[in-house]
Amino acid sequence: MNQKPHDLIVFGATGFTGRLVAEYLHTTYGVGQEVKWAMAGRSLDKLRRVRDELGISEDLPLLVADASDTAALKKLVAQTRVVITTVGPYQLHGNELVAACAEAGTDYVDLCGEPGWMAEKIPQLQKPAAASGARIVFSCGFDSIPFDLGVVFLQHESMQRLGDPLVRVHGRVKTMKGTFSGGTAASLLATMEAVGRDRSLIKTLGNPYALVPGFKGPRQPNDGVAEYDELAKAWTAPFVMAPINTKNVHRTHALRGHPWGTDFIYSERMLTGKGSKGEQRAKKMARNTKIQNVLLAIGPTRALIRRFALPKPGEGPNKHQRETGHYEVLFVGQTAGGQTLSATVKGDRDPGYGSTCKLIAESALCLANEVDLQMTPGGVWTPGAAMGLTLQRRLQAKAGLTFALLSD
């Protein structure tokens, strides 16, 4: 693998998020230096335009392949150690690329927040990826790295400090300034449309263990309601990304061999504050969430959202908005004996774009350079299981994330 011409290829580099990934790699690692990378997409003219607009040297390789062209994708992935893909929704545009990586032994990272597609792909890809040595790692952006690694970090600290795992962990979004990406919204709409075609997906989406084939754990909390959290000592409301993040956390736990116990509980919500004002905010947000879910189930509503609400191709927050965004997630856990431990994960950019582009780029480089096949063999992984604390340390050093324990 080390003899391949590229360490990584950014597939979808002409899209808004892919362009940000390319810009980050250029700013951080340059061209033709320690990281050998390339940009790929379906139009050579657009790739050239993005390269020139970003001020990137003409020495940067530009590779052409369409997401539906199997032959071109096989040729593409054979040239690199890792593929970064930002071309979603993955259930519509990702099947051929991930299959090509699994067959060729090429590592793969994406920004997938589509649990139905992931649940379908895990059994399909596990055998060929294990045979070829390809590490397929879904969800390497804001969904689900801060949450997945936040739990791994807190559990590690609990074992070090308390000598026991936390049987219950609450992930609570404390602050978030910025936007979800247009890709996240498009993926949600694509998932709802898939449910309309196949009602059996409702069961998958509602199953916290949907990404852990063959495992049935304890009943998990209902995170779709307003609720007072005794551990966080504040009111909480539903968090829109919890349905994917919680599934990834449970898959990480299973892939690591259930070190926190097969009765492990994980809940993920938003903090709304204390007292009556916090309660009012929580109940209002819970009502709005229910209304939004009902509306998203209606085909004409989804069509209107696609037409008028989603960012157009190439659109997104400007540089000032991305760089002044931030987020903070509180994690509070409890051992079987009642001891508690808390930590925060902070990001220094807006979640959907500014932070995500750094997270996926550094995940790809971590997989390529710091995690060998003996540590993480071929297969379908989560960030927390494939790279764990190795990635946590890298993100803290390079990608603007901060993991910190809180004192009592």
Side-chain angles (χ1 to χ4, degrees), residues 74 199 249 268:
K74 287 183 177 181
R199 303 297 290 178
V249 167
E268 189 173 293

Side-chain angles (χ1 to χ4, degrees), residues 99-229:
C101 287
E103 180 182 330
T106 299
D107 293 341
Y108 163 105
V109 296
D110 69 17
L111 300 173
C112 188
E114 304 163 42
W117 184 74
M118 293 163 64
E120 174 187 315
K121 289 296 158 184
I122 288 167
Q124 290 180 6
L125 298 170
Q126 178 61 34
K127 187 174 180 179
S132 71
R135 282 85 63 83
I136 308 298
V137 189
F138 298 130
S139 307
C140 291
F142 181 63
D143 50 342
S144 298
I145 279 179
F147 306 91
D148 190 19
L149 290 185
V151 175
V152 171
F153 171 77
L154 186 63
Q155 289 283 13
H156 173 76
E157 293 297 327
S158 180
M159 292 303 298
Q160 295 294 309
R161 296 166 186 273
L162 305 179
D164 286 307
L166 304 163
V167 297
R168 172 184 293 270
V169 174
H170 292 180
R172 301 296 184 243
V173 179
K174 188 175 180 180
T175 59
M176 190 169 68
K177 180 184 178 184
T179 60
F180 298 110
S181 72
T184 296
S187 293
L188 176 59
L189 291 176
T191 296
M192 296 304 294
E193 288 167 356
V195 169
R197 297 188 298 271
D198 181 2
R199 303 297 290 178
S200 68
L201 280 174
I202 294 176
K203 184 177 180 180
T204 299
L205 297 177
N207 178 8
Y209 307 105
L211 304 185
V212 190
F215 177 74
K216 184 177 181 180
R219 185 181 182 88
Q220 295 293 313
N222 177 8
D223 284 334
V225 298
E227 186 174 82
Y228 185 79
D229 183 348

